Amino acid sequence: QIGPFWKFWGVKGVVSVTYFQWVVLSYGPFNLEDKRIYLLHCLLMTLEMPLLAVIHSSCAYPYGKPWLEYLLLLQQKDMREELEETGGSEPGPSVEETDESTTTSQVDNALVCLFYLVY
């Protein structure tokens, strides 16, 4: 089950922390030049974003749940409809013919692609 509570508070936390850290860095007692403020702000953001990613991947959108398989099936169905409209060929089995191993394989492939994009 998707956890919208965690998605909301994860994003709300990052937005609030980002705003207040920018205010503190800009108008606080640090007396830094604009370029240093910007660089420090960017550094802090690179430390905060992985926390948001962990909240999203573990609480808001847990991996391996039925919602993910459902979304992948919908995406596959949309791609088939688009191919039918343009007169393309079928890329694989229909949504009704897709079994759990195919969906798991698709999820694994998507995660491998995501891993290579991130790293």
Side-chain angles (χ1 to χ4, degrees), residues 63 105-119:
Y63 172 73
S105 173
Q106 291 171 343
V107 171
D108 291 342
N109 290 340
L111 288 174
V112 168
C113 291
L114 181 63
F115 176 80
Y116 283 116
L117 285 173
V118 171
Y119 295 104

Side-chain angles (χ1 to χ4, degrees), residues 70-84:
Y70 177 71
L71 287 179
L72 289 172
L73 288 175
L74 284 180
Q75 180 186 23
Q76 186 180 30
K77 181 180 176 186
D78 288 343
M79 289 172 56
R80 282 193 196 349
E81 289 174 357
E82 186 176 308
L83 283 173
E84 288 173 3

Side-chain angles (χ1 to χ4, degrees), residues 4 6 14 17 19 23 40 69 74 87 110 119:
W6 291 107
V14 167
V17 167
Y19 172 75
V23 168
L40 183 58
E69 293 172 7
L74 284 180
Y119 295 104

Side-chain angles (χ1 to χ4, degrees), residues 9-69:
W9 285 110
V11 173
K12 177 82 169 165
V14 167
V15 169
S16 298
V17 167
T18 301
Y19 172 75
F20 285 114
Q21 84 184 10
W22 185 262
V23 168
V24 169
L25 290 173
S26 297
Y27 304 110
F30 302 112
N31 200 16
L32 299 171
E33 60 187 55
D34 288 341
K35 185 175 181 179
R36 294 238 182 231
I37 290 171
Y38 179 75
L39 292 174
L40 183 58
H41 178 69
C42 290
L43 174 67
L44 291 172
M45 288 298 297
T46 61
L47 300 174
E48 295 162 1
M49 285 302 137
L51 178 63
L52 177 64
V54 168
I55 290 172
H56 274 210
S57 65
S58 62
C59 299
Y61 298 105
Y63 172 73
K65 301 296 180 180
W67 69 270
L68 182 60
E69 293 172 7

